[in-house]
Amino acid sequence: MKPFSLSLCIALCGIPGSFAIAQAGAPKPPMIPSGETRKLTTHTYAIEDKDTTPGVPNIGFVVGSRAVLVIDTGMGPRNGKTVAAEAQKLAPGHQIYLVTTHVHPEHDLGAEAFPPQTKMIRSVDQEKDIAQYGLSMANTFIARSTTNAELLTGANFRTADIHFDKSYDLDLGGVAVRILAMGPNHTRGDTAIWVPAERVLFSGDVAMKGLPSFASPDSSVKQWLASLQTFASLKPSIVVPSHGPIGDMSYITGYQSLLTTVRDRTTALKRQGKSLEEVTSTLTAELKPKYVDSNRLAGAIRTAYAEAS
């Protein structure tokens, strides 16, 4: 498994204080580019976050003969309008369905800019996240920069038209899509999208190139590993993560290897009577040669320590 870069990991985490600084010294504006949608398979497309720009997610599209599913929105209505326009270019006159991989601002708070007839799909767990945390993360993003403030001020969550518990099957017209509630991993409301006929998985933050971020008090190593096992059983050919380059099964197996090691070593050290601080120090030192950004493992270790018996 290749080492993770610090700038990539920071850009992917989606938690307060996690924005990376661009090589030129100033952060790039978190804007979804227009006209850069590329075809992945016969019915799937993406606007790829090639440069791993902080605050910019990968945007997904699945196009059928009568409807298009959009995955994630970008940060705020301006970005949402760009994404909606790309969907309409790909599938003019089609019904638009919208789902988000989780409710952090750069993934969800552009939804209100979509046309009124858009059908918003949310899991019960996403709705719980919205009810519990509201716009607290958006307010944190707003405080970071004037650009974020311009994009997010006045933004709000779009009300769901379709609710589901564990999974939801959607027929777009000749293309079947399964939407899966995966949390609590990165967040309680993590949502993945599987296109079985073309073996494309939109994995959210559950499997990416950068180190995993335990961004919620509900995050669980046990559940994260169960989610990764679900992903592995699907055997995707293409994995489109929430952030960073589009990849393949190696994103899933990489996270499995890392989190299994964190779980097993944390449990062993805790049984030896080691404190959380001691376990964090020991395990970070052990993993540093393999993972460049091993300092980012604290959240995973803390969660594993709490779960260990």
Side-chain angles (χ1 to χ4, degrees):
M1 184 175 180
K2 294 180 181 179
F4 295 115
S5 69
L6 178 59
S7 60
L8 177 61
C9 172
I10 291 175
L12 297 185
C13 291
I15 56 176
S18 66
F19 274 173
I21 301 300
Q23 289 184 351
K28 291 177 64 175
M31 304 304 297
I32 304 296
S34 177
E36 294 190 15
T37 301
R38 71 180 180 94
K39 192 170 189 176
L40 304 178
T41 63
T42 302
H43 296 99
T44 65
Y45 301 77
I47 305 174
E48 186 176 9
D49 176 29
K50 299 175 184 176
D51 300 324
T52 317
T53 302
V56 176
N58 288 315
I59 303 294
F61 305 92
V62 187
V63 181
S65 63
R66 62 174 183 81
V68 54
L69 176 66
V70 181
I71 302 156
D72 283 353
T73 69
M75 189 188 300
R78 282 175 57 193
N79 279 307
K81 186 177 293 186
T82 298
V83 174
E86 292 294 307
Q88 290 166 323
K89 282 192 287 186
L90 284 173
H94 285 36
Q95 171 65 54
I96 298 176
Y97 292 91
L98 176 61
V99 68
T100 64
T101 57
H102 54 294
V103 299
H104 286 172
E106 74 272 37
H107 303 277
D108 200 294
L109 284 179
E112 286 193 315
F114 277 66
Q117 65 270 25
T118 300
K119 300 294 185 183
M120 184 84 206
I121 304 171
R122 290 197 186 279
S123 71
V124 171
D125 287 335
Q126 273 198 359
E127 293 182 317
K128 287 178 181 177
D129 275 345
I130 292 169
Q132 182 172 356
Y133 302 113
L135 293 168
S136 59
M137 184 66 79
N139 291 331
T140 299
F141 274 55
I142 286 170
R144 290 177 182 161
S145 72
T146 55
T147 301
N148 287 356
E150 290 169 1
L151 292 172
L152 288 172
T153 297
N156 211 334
F157 293 105
R158 188 176 184 127
T159 301
D161 300 287
I162 298 170
H163 313 258
F164 73 96
D165 185 13
K166 299 302 181 184
S167 67
Y168 183 78
D169 291 325
L170 182 63
D171 181 1
L172 300 172
V175 185
V177 177
R178 173 158 285 192
I179 301 172
L180 301 164
M182 304 303 301
N185 308 295
H186 175 61
T187 69
R188 175 171 47 192
D190 288 339
T191 302
I193 297 85
W194 170 235
V195 187
E198 295 173 12
R199 314 211 69 76
V200 178
L201 175 68
F202 295 86
S203 61
D205 276 52
V206 184
M208 302 189 296
K209 185 176 182 180
L211 286 173
S213 169
F214 286 71
S216 166
D218 302 297
S219 294
S220 164
V221 172
K222 180 179 180 181
Q223 176 57 36
W224 206 316
L225 282 166
S227 296
L228 292 168
Q229 184 55 46
T230 297
F231 285 174
S233 70
L234 299 174
K235 299 180 180 178
S237 297
I238 298 173
V239 175
V240 184
S242 273
H243 297 277
I246 293 170
D248 55 23
M249 271 285 292
S250 65
Y251 287 179
I252 298 168
T253 56
Y255 268 29
Q256 285 178 313
S257 175
L258 170 62
L259 292 180
T260 298
T261 298
V262 168
R263 179 198 63 191
D264 293 349
R265 286 293 292 136
T266 298
T267 299
L269 291 166
K270 184 177 181 179
R271 287 175 179 171
Q272 294 173 20
K274 303 293 186 183
S275 67
L276 173 59
E277 291 73 19
E278 290 172 319
V279 172
T280 301
S281 177
T282 299
L283 190 49
T284 298
E286 289 177 2
L287 292 173
K288 190 172 184 178
K290 190 173 184 181
Y291 300 99
V292 173
D293 301 320
S294 53
N295 61 307
R296 297 294 304 173
L297 294 171
I301 295 169
R302 182 177 62 250
T303 304
Y305 192 90
E307 292 179 349
S309 58

